[in-house]
Amino acid sequence: AVMEKTDKAVVLPMDITWSDVGSWDSVYEVLDKDQNQNVKIGNILDIDTKNSLIMTDKRLAITVGVEDLIVVETPDVVLIAKRGEGQKIKDVVQILKQNEKTKHITEYHTNVYRPWGSYTELEKGERYRIKRITVLPGEALSLQMHYHRSEHWIVVKGTAKVILEHDGGKKEEIYIHENESIYVPKTTKHRLINPGKIPLEIIEVQAGEYVEEDDIVRFEDKYQRNSLG
């Protein structure tokens, strides 16, 4: 709408190729390949493998005697597809969304970013969840409470300032240093703060009858949020 009305635009011929990298097949096309025409990113051992895209996050991927494959490993999903079929991933996503047991994969990612930092889900079971939480210097999570889960925090880097508000109005401010921990009972108001100058990293172990992200009641929040976080 803007370009059609201007008289100051110039169009020049360009001898280039273009790809919007909208599928794993296009990712394969634009990346550098080895002598067997494989694209390899991550910890990979390939034997008699040709014309394939292989990407891993942490685990070792081993391929033997295959060709024309797309293999992508992430913390929560392993994708194996034939090259040329990458556009069908959108169909897979729709199937996952329609299944109650798998729709969470499309709604919540293993790595989640928040205004205060980020968290990575390390493991999840029916009554427990384990996260690695990173809080940026000077930032703080909301003052919040959970009805269905308790939390145990272990500091692995930096110093945490923890606010606990108990029934009856008693308020505690506790500093937790590296290799120290604190227990937060369910229904207890609490806040996690990084008062330091380096990122704070903690391991959070949640335990209870319900450990989903929507079990949160927020009382105060510097980012003016009123839902997940």
Side-chain angles (χ1 to χ4, degrees):
V2 174
M3 295 300 293
E4 288 177 352
K5 298 176 181 179
T6 182
D7 58 358
K8 298 180 181 180
V10 177
V11 179
L12 298 175
M14 297 184 69
D15 184 16
I16 62 173
T17 57
W18 165 258
S19 173
D20 61 3
V21 195
S23 69
W24 288 114
D25 294 297
S26 56
V27 171
Y28 171 83
E29 294 297 335
V30 301
L31 293 180
D32 294 334
K33 303 168 183 63
D34 65 11
Q35 66 273 17
N36 293 316
Q37 294 301 296
N38 295 316
V39 173
K40 298 183 294 185
I41 299 176
N43 191 11
I44 297 162
L45 171 61
D46 60 307
I47 300 174
D48 296 331
T49 298
K50 300 178 180 178
N51 307 317
S52 295
L53 167 65
I54 311 165
M55 301 176 65
T56 67
D57 180 50
K58 293 182 178 179
R59 288 179 286 185
L60 170 66
I62 302 173
T63 58
V64 181
V66 299
E67 57 182 291
D68 296 321
L69 285 185
I70 296 171
V71 181
V72 180
E73 179 263 338
T74 69
D76 52 354
V77 173
V78 177
L79 167 69
I80 303 175
K82 184 178 180 181
R83 272 190 54 220
E85 302 290 331
Q87 294 289 350
K88 293 183 179 179
I89 299 301
K90 60 184 179 181
D91 299 327
V92 174
V93 172
Q94 291 303 315
I95 294 172
L96 293 173
K97 286 182 176 180
Q98 294 167 8
N99 190 318
E100 286 295 323
K101 294 182 178 180
T102 58
K103 69 176 185 179
H104 68 279
I105 297 175
T106 66
E107 296 172 348
Y108 301 108
H109 298 285
T110 303
N111 297 312
V112 177
Y113 295 91
R114 296 292 191 228
W116 44 259
S118 65
Y119 70 80
T120 300
E121 183 174 295
L122 303 178
E123 188 172 342
K124 182 183 178 184
E126 185 176 349
R127 294 179 61 89
Y128 72 92
R129 194 172 193 167
I130 304 173
K131 295 178 179 179
R132 180 175 65 248
I133 297 176
T134 300
V135 184
L136 299 174
E139 300 299 334
L141 280 68
S142 60
L143 177 65
Q144 57 188 252
M145 178 267 285
H146 313 292
Y147 282 113
H148 303 287
R149 72 174 186 253
S150 60
E151 296 175 338
H152 188 191
W153 296 338
I154 304 100
V155 176
V156 296
K157 181 181 178 182
T159 298
K161 180 180 178 181
V162 179
I163 308 296
L164 297 180
E165 295 188 12
H166 302 278
D167 291 340
K170 181 183 177 182
K171 183 176 180 180
E172 291 184 278
E173 292 188 3
I174 307 168
Y175 286 87
I176 311 298
H177 305 283
E178 289 185 12
N179 206 30
E180 296 179 347
S181 64
I182 189 170
Y183 173 70
V184 182
K186 66 175 66 174
T187 72
T188 298
K189 292 182 182 180
H190 58 277
R191 168 172 268 163
L192 178 64
I193 303 169
N194 180 2
K197 296 183 178 181
I198 65 172
L200 166 67
E201 293 185 13
I202 72 169
I203 301 300
E204 177 183 82
V205 181
Q206 304 174 1
E209 62 271 17
Y210 186 76
V211 291
E212 298 301 330
E213 289 298 316
D214 56 354
D215 178 24
I216 179 174
V217 179
R218 183 175 287 114
F219 300 95
E220 297 176 10
D221 182 58
K222 64 184 292 185
Y223 311 107
Q224 305 301 314
R225 296 167 300 163
N226 56 14
S227 57
L228 302 182

